[in-house]
Structure formats: structure tokens, C-alpha cells
Amino acid sequence: MSKITAAITGVGAYLPEYKLTNQILETMVETNDEWITTRTGIKERRILKEEGKGTSFLAINAANDLINKKGLDPKDIELVIVATATPDMKAASTAAFTATEIGATNAFSFDLEAACSSFLFGMSVASSYIESGKYKNVLLIGADKNSSFINYKDRATCIIFGDGAGAVLFEPNNEGLGLQDELLRSNGEGREFLQATYGGSSYPINADTFNEGKHYVFQEGKTVFKNAVFNMADVTERIIERNNLTNDDISWLAAHQANKRIIEATAKRVSLDPAKVMMNIHKYGNTTSATLPLLLHDYESQLKKGDKIIFAAFGGGFTWGSIYLKWAYNS
């Protein structure tokens, strides 16, 4: 009997309507379009502005987009994973609420948090459940409402992040397609350089810390940039080498959309043709857990069965990794 692999068989997405452009940001904080574009590649980002709607709203809409496109019965979904750094609430599972709202009443569910690497790590987890033979339909959603912890007076962070969600369905494959290999890493020493300190169990939020804005995300830009460039490029190169892939073999690089210069540095490290590099950071900014599935959504029409895709991500914590996957269908 041929080995069971875990393949992506469908993609969905959701983006809020409101576009926060560089020109609008110029009226909010001391910055300008040229400065933002040159340093990040971002032109605009989507923001979920409706009061009371959080990450689950994004996740539910992305999941429903996938369900409708595939004509999938939600009751056939056996597991729902929501990869996110911005859950709706403390303790209460965003994934559980999402599963219920989309009608996946036979599924169990959980959240997975590894900052910007959440979806990449989720691909590994979802694939493992499929490869075990116990489950046949695993829904993995990457969703983040980053605007919920951004200080729009801090030009170092408010220019970077946006809101959005993407979803993929993993199913068993007997043709050798799907996830082929992974290299996942983490280093807890990095958390001091990129985090939202207050609001967790170590530093509970109170009136004083809230008024001081300590619940907002903070990053030490130069340190994060340096580590992202080195580590994301390193794991990408290593996974290519250990799978004996040449530049011609690789169909696409799907890298976390944090900064255009980081993406370009990763592609340059492996001497990959820029035409093979998926890019949509200019439209959405850094949507954290949603960047990789949003890339798949935007490029789905160009993907062909058998395409060899290298995924790469880097996030706070620090967390990072690379995955090699063969695409399983023609759009």
C-alpha cells in the first residue's frame, strides 16, 4: 500500500473591506509613502473596523469561502485548527467557536500560536493528523486581527501590520503529493525583541499599564530584521539541499510576508528567479498567521498539480521554519 501523504486540496480567504493606505497613514503618524515602500514594500493593508468582531470573524469567513468553493459539507470536517497570534479571548478557544459557526459540528478544534510561524507550524500538525490515518479532513486556518494590538501612534509598527485570514483543507493523498519535508525551529531568547508584553499571565493588564499603552505590540526592528533574514534563508537553503532540489526544480517560494527586503534576501540566498517568488505584501502588509494561506489564495490560479513549493516563515518568540510541499491539483 502506498504511503499516505497530506495534501492541500482547497483554499479560501477573507479580507476586510477597509484599506489603510500609506497616504492615510501619513495623516496619522510621522511617515510617508516613499519611506514605507522603500523599507517594507507595503502600499496598503486591510483593517477590520467593525466593533465586536475579532479574529474568529475573519476565520469563519475564510473557512466559508473554502467550503463554498469546494462544495464541502462542514460535517465532514474532522479537525479545525486556527493558527493565530490574536485569539478572540483568553482561555476560550477561537477555533472551537469558528468550528461551531461554520457548522463543523463533528470536528474537534484548537488554537495554535507561534506568532508569524503559526500557519507554517500548523501545516506540520495538520499533516501529521492526516498521515496518521486517523483523520481525512483537516481544516487549517491562519487568521489575525493585528489591528487589535497595534499602537497607531508608533510608526515602527503601525505601518507593518494588517488584518486577514486564509484557510486550507488537508486531505490524504496516495500519489506522493502534499507535504514532503519540514524543518521547524525556535529560540525563546528572541521573545524580548518582538512581543506584546502586557496582557499575558506574566504581566497582567491593569489600568496603569493600559493607559501607558504597554499592551501594544513592540519590536526591536534591527534585531528582528537581522534574525529573520538569516534564519528564514538558512532553513530554506537547508530544506532545498536535503531534498536534492535545484533552482529549476522549485516552482514557487511562498515566504512569510513581513518585509519585502527579507523575502528578496531569502530568494537571493537560494538563487531563485524573482518570477518564482510569491508576493502580495504590497496589498495586505504583514497579516501574521494569514500571510501564507493568502499567498496560496492569490496565486491559486497559477498553481499546477505537481508544483514544488517551498514555504518559509519567521516570527516572534523566535520561531521559524521551512516546508517543502508538492501541489495536488490544477485550479
Side-chain angles (χ1 to χ4, degrees), residues 139-252:
L139 179 63
L140 172 62
I141 307 167
D144 271 304
K145 184 183 177 182
N146 291 307
S147 61
S148 64
F149 65 4
I150 296 298
N151 179 0
Y152 284 95
K153 295 180 180 180
D154 175 17
R155 69 173 184 174
T157 55
C158 73
I159 65 170
I160 298 171
F161 295 95
D163 303 336
V168 301
L169 184 69
F170 275 94
E171 293 184 276
N173 184 275
N174 294 307
E175 301 176 89
L177 303 173
L179 197 144
Q180 304 294 306
D181 195 13
E182 62 182 48
L183 181 57
L184 310 178
R185 304 291 295 152
S186 61
N187 181 355
E189 294 178 357
R191 77 173 184 172
E192 66 178 285
F193 304 111
L194 175 58
Q195 83 316 83
T197 307
Y198 283 81
S201 59
S202 295
Y203 301 93
I205 198 75
N206 57 45
D208 290 337
T209 56
F210 181 82
N211 290 333
E212 292 172 19
K214 291 186 175 180
H215 58 294
Y216 291 127
V217 71
F218 159 82
Q219 75 167 357
E220 189 175 297
K222 290 182 179 179
T223 302
V224 173
F225 183 88
K226 181 176 69 174
N227 278 273
V229 169
F230 176 80
N231 288 313
M232 203 159 78
D234 178 63
V235 289
T236 300
E237 185 175 43
R238 288 168 62 187
I239 206 162
I240 289 171
E241 288 178 350
R242 79 182 193 186
N243 286 278
N244 299 313
L245 298 171
T246 67
N247 297 337
D248 291 336
D249 293 329
I250 299 168
S251 307
W252 298 98

Side-chain angles (χ1 to χ4, degrees), residues 107 128 179 279 319:
S128 297
L179 197 144
M279 193 89 70
T319 59

Side-chain angles (χ1 to χ4, degrees), residues 1-5 131 173-176 179-180:
M1 188 174 71
S2 58
K3 177 187 175 183
I4 296 174
T5 53
E131 290 168 3
N173 184 275
N174 294 307
E175 301 176 89
L179 197 144
Q180 304 294 306

